[in-house]
Amino acid sequence: MLMKRCEWCVGDPLYEAYHDNEWGVPVYDDSTIFEFLILETFQAGLSWITILRKRENFRKALDDFDYKKIATYDESKYNSLLLDEGIIRNKLKIKSTITNAQLFMSVQKEFGSFSEYIWSFVDGKPLQNKVKNYKEAPANTEISDAISKNLKKRGFKFVGSTVIYAHMQATGMVNDHEVSCFRYNEVRSLSKKD
């Protein structure tokens, strides 16, 4: 028997694997939250499947998404990233990755962890939507607006409300699996382990 999945991922094995194993699963680990934040910022204006196909290239180019290392990237490293055909070679997005890594650590210092900061916008618990068709899912919400505004105030780049809402979906801050999807109830049952 075939499992019913969210319609947006059906037909591409990479998309299906991402959907089945990662999308919508609550993430409380700073390193993973940072990885998704960077991937989402590179996605701005592009499709998510484009980013997924380049994810391993990004992983290699960006030192396994190690924000502590990325925060120290110099002009030489920046220039080498601009020449890396395996990633999205957008000058502003690459610069913002370095800036955002530095600011990510500032937020950690202030709140103890970036996770504590970002999850505070949803009181530490995933929001449960009841999406029947993925086209019903919003592109942004009041909460993503608030997070975006707060991050921008802190100096983060490429963190518009739509990017932040996609980040919320990816990291399980919101469950936007279609209610008919086999992952909807599985993801719904997940919560922070104390």
Side-chain angles (χ1 to χ4, degrees):
M1 181 176 149
L2 282 174
M3 292 183 290
K4 173 90 172 82
R5 290 183 172 94
C6 293
E7 193 181 324
W8 60 262
C9 74
V10 176
D12 185 301
L14 183 62
Y15 236 180
E16 289 179 1
Y18 168 71
H19 167 274
D20 294 358
N21 300 305
E22 293 184 85
W23 194 70
V25 175
V27 174
Y28 299 97
D29 168 68
D30 273 7
S31 294
T32 308
I33 290 171
F34 180 76
E35 175 180 347
F36 278 115
L37 185 63
I38 293 310
L39 292 174
E40 295 291 352
T41 59
F42 272 99
Q43 186 212 345
L46 302 168
S47 69
W48 183 241
I49 192 64
T50 299
I51 300 303
L52 275 185
R53 288 184 181 131
K54 292 180 178 286
R55 188 179 190 180
E56 290 313 308
N57 297 334
F58 275 112
R59 189 178 308 288
K60 286 180 197 138
L62 298 173
D63 291 297
D64 204 25
F65 299 103
D66 183 336
Y67 52 85
K68 290 176 185 168
K69 286 185 182 173
I70 294 169
T72 66
Y73 283 179
D74 58 14
E75 199 68 23
S76 170
K77 178 63 175 181
Y78 165 76
N79 288 326
S80 74
L81 290 170
L82 281 179
L83 297 173
D84 190 331
E85 294 180 5
I87 66 169
I88 307 297
R89 295 179 295 169
N90 178 298
K91 291 177 183 179
L92 294 175
K93 289 179 181 180
I94 292 170
K95 280 259 192 232
S96 76
T97 298
I98 300 165
T99 301
N100 288 353
Q102 295 162 351
L103 296 169
F104 189 87
M105 291 193 298
S106 296
V107 171
Q108 285 179 317
K109 282 186 190 135
E110 185 178 344
F111 290 87
S113 73
F114 193 87
S115 179
E116 284 296 321
Y117 160 76
I118 201 155
W119 277 92
S120 71
F121 287 91
V122 292
D123 296 325
K125 294 180 187 137
L127 304 173
Q128 302 298 326
N129 285 341
K130 291 188 171 14
V131 176
K132 291 188 175 103
N133 180 297
Y134 75 97
K135 292 174 183 163
E136 293 175 3
N140 57 290
T141 62
E142 285 183 19
I143 294 172
S144 66
D145 291 348
I147 296 171
S148 171
K149 187 176 178 184
N150 193 281
L151 287 170
K152 285 177 180 176
K153 195 169 89 179
R154 294 170 181 278
F156 283 79
K157 306 290 183 206
F158 287 96
V159 289
S161 188
T162 302
V163 166
I164 293 304
Y165 192 74
H167 186 263
M168 291 172 67
Q169 290 174 311
T171 59
M173 290 176 69
V174 59
N175 180 2
D176 271 346
H177 280 281
E178 294 170 5
V179 290
S180 60
C181 174
F182 81 98
R183 287 295 280 158
Y184 177 76
N185 284 320
E186 290 177 2
V187 167
R188 193 169 174 220
S189 69
L190 300 172
S191 62
K192 186 172 182 177
K193 308 273 189 284
D194 291 310

